[in-house]
Amino acid sequence: MGEFGQYLAEWLAALWMVLAESGPYLLVGFVIAGILAIVIPAQWIARRLGGDDVKSVGTAAIIGVPVPLCSCSVIPTATQLRRSGASKGATTSFLISTPETGVDSIGATWALMDPLMTVVRPVAAFMTAFAAGIAVNLFGLGKTGPLDEPEVAQEPDADEPEDDHGCCAHMAASKPAADAGAEDDHGHDHGHDPHHHGDHDHSHDVPTEGNLLQRAFRYAFGTLLDDLTPWFLVGFAISGLIVVAVPDGFFSGAGLSGWTAMMTMLVAGVPLYVCATASTPIAAAMMAKGLEPGAALVFLLAGPATNVATMLVVKDLLGKRTLVIYLLSIALMSLGIGTLVNRLYPIFGLDPTAMDVDPAMMEHGVISTIAGIILGVLLVRSAWRLSLGRRFGAWLRKVGSPIGFDPTALPVKVVAGALALIAYASTAVTTAGPGETVFIEQFGRVAQSRTTPGPLFHAPWPVGRAVHVSTSAVHSLEFGIESIDLSDDSTDAVALKAARDEVKKIRAESEMLTGEGWIVSVGYAIQYRINDAEKWTYGQTEPEEMVKRLAQESVRQVAARRTIENILVDDGESFRGPIKERMAAAIAASGVGAELVSVELQSVHAPPAVHSKYRDVASALIEVETMRIEKEARRIEMLSEARIIAAETYQKATSAAARAVTLKTAAANAFRSLAGVDQDHHGLIQQFMTLNAQRRALTQSGNSRASRYFAASPHVEIRNRPFSVEEPSRANMGNRPFDGGER
């Protein structure tokens, strides 16, 4: 029940939003409409619409634009104009422009939509009516076509059955006498003339008593409001359901765009009856949920001007051929103008989805509040005067009669009343979900709050209003990230211009100055979470805008303290890290009630206008850095090789020196030994050396005899053996002198 109560409270809040937003403009529009009805009599209009020329058609279209009459009200007026001699073209033009727009619907469009739609809507109504009138004059066989000339309507009896439309469907004012008492497809009789209304309890005649303002007020808030009240209630109810039940971006996500969306709205609007003013909140709600403005305009044009009742009247009043032209003109013109409007919005830089239809975010001033209350009271008063409850009950009885069920029986009423009471009581129960904080506002102040999951009981709507804030969801914001493809050849010129404007806006958002005054473009995204629901909801008027500005300021401050080489050449983390630190500190210090989750750099480059040049510079900087690194690596490599070679050389030199020292030491020891032997045995070394020299000389000279002698001599052979450098042992040699005979 808590969930149902929340939806019901949101729907009631959406209804109040429409009343308060459109109230001032609708009240002013009704007053102006009443004055116009008094100042411009029908006879004056009829005198200017009698020709089959362009002037009469244009006059009818212009006169019909400001007159705030719905289809049920414009039918008797158009019938009177036709009987007064107005041409088929002029009558058709009046039948189209009058219900499509009016001063009241223009005010509602200004209040609920945007200035462009406020201007385009009456212009489109005039163009559609004018084109249809000209087409009828050209192809509708004029005033006296054999196929299209209707029979003269006869006055019906005064006691005809009640009309259950809820608004006067004056179709049979022009129907043939044979059909005046017949039942139409709706199961009720339309056989009453413009001045006979059965149980409607009001007349469409302009008041004649009192001064101008009194007559204008009586007509505006009497006859005119009574005509529009049923459709106001239906339109407000449907728009409230769209606001509450339809998710954001529903229409674009469902693939309803371009011709598909416009044809859908055309098919829905042709048989459906909804007046111009009541269709405005429906169209505004659909645009806020993603419907293209061109498709919304098709609904605004086709819905009020075409419906089953109007088509039957046009057929009987002007003929079959005129009915075909009537429908084709509305279809073709609305589709064509809708296509043009889709292209105008990007040119003027307007976002049709930017309309704020969230009741929780709307703040109404004193004038809007008072006007909304007055408009609501007037609608309830008209509904009571029209006995809409009784008429709705009659319709329910008619629906239930085939199965023998009477929805208006007392037990059913008791059960329905109990269910309605329970449904309203459910608006006093609000359920807080996991990771959610709920505040209950009463008369502008927070009366209760809950941060844990569970129900919260409070005063019902409108005294108590629940505000839900998620503290677990992670929100994302993107800056300077381009997702639009400008190279698409299939894009038309207008859409391409809109895409270029959007890209220009994104690029301006991403550009920032470096420390040396250069411009660099940074595309990034941040994620944040609400950590203090009370500060987030009541501490700032626009907390998300505050987070957005803090994020941009943090990135710009970090970029301003760096050179372009640091930003374009260094790794991303050295740039992202300081951004995250500064941004987290700024968001925490602002008291906005949020905390930073992460920062992601999507792109870091020079501005697109000079991106190629900056890329060359960056490439050169990278090349210089690469060359520096390569040279440093080569220097280290060469130094390592040199050190290895030096170490090897040093080792070799050390080894060679050690070997040389060893050899020299050995030689020195040998000479010392020989010197010792020579000292102990004087002349022995000299004799040995003499004999060796002689042997070599004789051997080299070829003296074979001497060679044989030395070879055969035992003592000489002994001398020919290698000489030992070992010093003879003194123990063996003793101290006695060397005896040459012993050798």
Side-chain angles (χ1 to χ4, degrees):
M1 183 61 74
E3 292 293 332
F4 176 77
Q6 293 178 34
Y7 280 114
L8 180 59
E10 291 177 2
W11 180 67
L12 293 173
L15 293 182
W16 167 246
M17 176 201 69
V18 176
L19 280 175
E21 286 296 306
S22 60
Y25 302 95
L26 285 178
L27 294 178
V28 173
F30 273 110
V31 172
I32 296 175
I35 295 175
L36 289 177
I38 301 300
V39 173
I40 306 177
Q43 293 80 3
W44 180 87
I45 298 175
R47 288 197 301 268
R48 285 158 177 78
L49 306 182
D52 284 333
D53 54 0
V54 175
K55 181 180 178 181
S56 62
V57 173
T59 303
I62 293 176
I63 292 175
V65 167
V67 176
L69 297 178
C70 61
S71 288
C72 65
S73 301
V74 75
I75 286 173
T77 305
T79 302
Q80 184 63 37
L81 292 176
R82 178 66 174 150
R83 288 177 174 177
S84 301
S87 65
K88 284 186 176 182
T91 305
T92 302
S93 181
F94 186 82
L95 274 171
I96 293 176
S97 66
T98 303
E100 283 187 340
T101 186
V103 290
D104 54 340
S105 62
I106 293 174
T109 307
W110 176 270
L112 298 175
M113 303 180 79
D114 52 57
L116 180 57
M117 188 64 76
T118 305
V119 174
V120 168
R121 186 177 181 182
V123 173
F126 169 79
M127 294 175 61
T128 304
F130 184 77
I134 295 297
V136 168
N137 280 346
L138 292 176
F139 307 107
L141 301 182
K143 284 186 177 183
T144 59
L147 296 178
D148 297 338
E149 183 63 23
E151 299 180 22
V152 179
Q154 298 182 3
E155 293 295 329
D157 295 333
D159 56 351
E160 290 180 347
E162 174 186 345
D163 177 13
D164 292 333
H165 265 298
C167 185
C168 45
H170 308 275
M171 299 188 304
S174 59
K175 295 180 74 172
D179 298 333
E183 294 286 333
D184 71 353
D185 293 337
H186 296 279
H188 56 273
D189 184 16
H190 297 279
H192 56 281
D193 66 12
H195 304 289
H196 176 72
H197 307 280
D199 294 334
H200 287 291
D201 297 331
H202 69 277
S203 172
H204 286 81
D205 291 336
V206 177
T208 57
E209 298 180 357
N211 58 36
L212 175 63
L213 288 180
Q214 289 176 341
R215 287 183 290 161
F217 270 80
R218 282 203 302 271
Y219 178 79
F221 300 109
T223 302
L224 182 58
L225 187 60
D226 289 345
D227 283 345
L228 299 179
T229 292
W231 314 116
F232 269 134
L233 298 179
V234 172
F236 290 171
I238 294 176
S239 64
L241 288 176
I242 293 174
V243 170
V244 174
V246 178
D248 293 339
F250 169 79
F251 291 96
S252 57
L256 291 178
S257 61
W259 285 96
T260 303
M262 290 189 291
M263 288 300 297
T264 302
M265 291 296 105
L266 180 64
V267 172
V270 166
L272 177 68
Y273 176 74
V274 57
C275 69
T277 307
S279 66
T280 305
I282 299 176
M286 290 192 294
M287 285 178 63
K289 299 300 182 179
L291 184 67
E292 292 181 345
L297 182 63
V298 171
F299 177 77
L300 291 174
L301 295 176
T306 60
N307 56 79
V308 176
T310 303
M311 287 188 286
L312 290 175
V313 170
V314 172
K315 172 180 173 295
D316 292 331
L317 182 65
L318 302 175
K320 296 179 182 179
R321 186 189 298 269
T322 301
L323 174 61
V324 173
I325 298 174
Y326 178 91
L327 294 176
L328 285 177
S329 299
I330 293 176
L332 295 178
M333 290 298 296
S334 60
L335 291 174
I337 298 175
T339 303
L340 177 62
V341 168
N342 280 339
R343 298 184 177 185
L344 287 178
Y345 266 78
I347 293 177
F348 289 99
L350 296 175
D351 182 9
T353 62
M355 292 180 294
D356 190 1
V357 296
D358 185 1
M361 304 301 295
M362 300 295 288
E363 295 183 359
H364 306 295
V366 177
I367 296 178
S368 296
T369 302
I370 295 175
I373 294 174
I374 294 174
L375 180 60
V377 171
L378 290 173
L379 291 175
V380 172
R381 169 179 167 269
S382 291
W384 181 269
R385 291 199 328 165
L386 294 172
S387 301
L388 293 184
R390 180 172 57 82
R391 292 165 184 254
F392 183 67
W395 179 80
L396 290 178
R397 287 195 302 271
K398 186 181 299 183
V399 172
S401 60
I403 59 175
F405 175 70
D406 185 6
T408 62
L410 181 59
V412 178
K413 290 182 178 180
V414 172
V415 173
L419 291 177
L421 183 61
I422 294 173
Y424 178 72
S426 66
T427 63
V429 182
T430 300
T431 303
E436 187 178 57
T437 299
V438 177
F439 299 99
I440 303 300
E441 297 179 354
Q442 292 183 191
F443 303 108
R445 57 181 292 273
V446 178
Q448 302 179 63
S449 64
R450 187 183 183 99
T451 58
T452 57
L456 192 61
F457 300 92
H458 53 86
W461 186 90
V463 178
R465 188 174 75 95
V467 178
H468 297 258
V469 181
S470 175
T471 56
S472 60
V474 176
H475 307 273
S476 180
L477 292 174
E478 293 184 348
F479 306 86
I481 299 177
E482 298 182 19
S483 58
I484 301 175
D485 185 13
L486 296 179
S487 62
D488 188 2
D489 296 335
S490 63
T491 306
D492 56 75
V494 178
L496 182 61
K497 181 182 183 302
R500 287 175 177 172
D501 292 340
E502 182 65 20
V503 169
K504 183 178 179 181
K505 178 182 177 182
I506 294 174
R507 290 177 178 177
E509 183 180 64
S510 66
E511 292 177 354
M512 54 195 68
L513 288 174
T514 64
E516 65 241 304
W518 295 94
I519 298 178
V520 66
S521 181
V522 180
Y524 57 99
I526 71 168
Q527 290 76 39
Y528 68 93
R529 182 187 298 110
I530 300 172
N531 60 358
D532 191 327
E534 185 174 2
K535 289 183 178 179
W536 178 266
T537 307
Y538 302 104
Q540 301 285 338
T541 303
E542 296 181 355
E544 185 171 298
E545 185 66 23
M546 173 68 73
V547 172
K548 184 176 181 180
R549 293 188 179 185
L550 290 174
Q552 291 178 310
E553 181 182 356
S554 299
V555 176
R556 295 181 187 279
Q557 286 180 351
V558 173
R561 287 171 172 79
R562 289 176 168 266
T563 64
I564 193 169
E565 291 85 357
N566 299 143
I567 297 176
L568 296 180
V569 180
D570 290 354
D571 62 291
E573 183 60 31
S574 62
F575 186 41
R576 188 183 71 88
I579 290 176
K580 185 176 181 180
E581 294 177 3
R582 181 177 291 273
M583 195 180 298
I587 293 176
S590 67
V592 73
E595 62 179 354
L596 184 68
V597 176
S598 65
V599 177
E600 299 297 333
L601 294 179
Q602 302 291 336
S603 62
V604 180
H605 54 78
V610 293
H611 180 57
S612 59
K613 300 301 180 182
Y614 268 79
R615 185 172 53 191
D616 294 340
V617 173
S619 299
L621 293 174
I622 294 175
E623 185 177 354
V624 169
E625 184 68 13
T626 302
M627 293 177 63
R628 185 188 68 80
I629 294 174
E630 291 177 352
K631 288 182 179 180
E632 181 66 16
R634 180 60 181 164
R635 184 185 70 81
I636 294 174
E637 181 182 0
M638 294 178 65
L639 181 61
S640 300
E641 292 177 353
R643 286 176 177 174
I644 292 173
I645 294 174
E648 292 178 350
T649 304
Y650 176 77
Q651 291 293 336
K652 290 179 180 180
T654 302
S655 300
R659 186 171 61 252
V661 169
T662 301
L663 293 176
K664 296 300 181 183
T665 302
N669 290 334
F671 279 113
R672 280 196 297 271
S673 298
L674 291 175
V677 171
D678 186 68
Q679 185 178 1
D680 293 338
H681 305 283
H682 184 71
L684 178 61
I685 300 302
Q686 183 177 3
Q687 294 177 10
F688 175 75
M689 294 176 65
T690 301
L691 289 174
N692 277 337
Q694 291 174 354
R695 180 179 63 80
R696 289 193 299 272
L698 291 174
T699 301
Q700 292 175 357
S701 63
N703 192 333
S704 59
R705 184 179 178 181
S707 301
R708 289 193 299 272
Y709 170 77
F710 282 104
S713 298
H715 61 279
V716 174
E717 185 179 354
I718 294 174
R719 298 299 185 272
N720 197 34
R721 287 181 297 179
F723 181 77
S724 176
V725 297
E726 295 182 358
E727 184 179 356
S729 174
R730 292 185 180 275
N732 297 327
M733 297 180 65
N735 294 325
R736 53 188 177 83
F738 181 77
D739 188 3
E742 297 179 358
R743 185 180 53 129

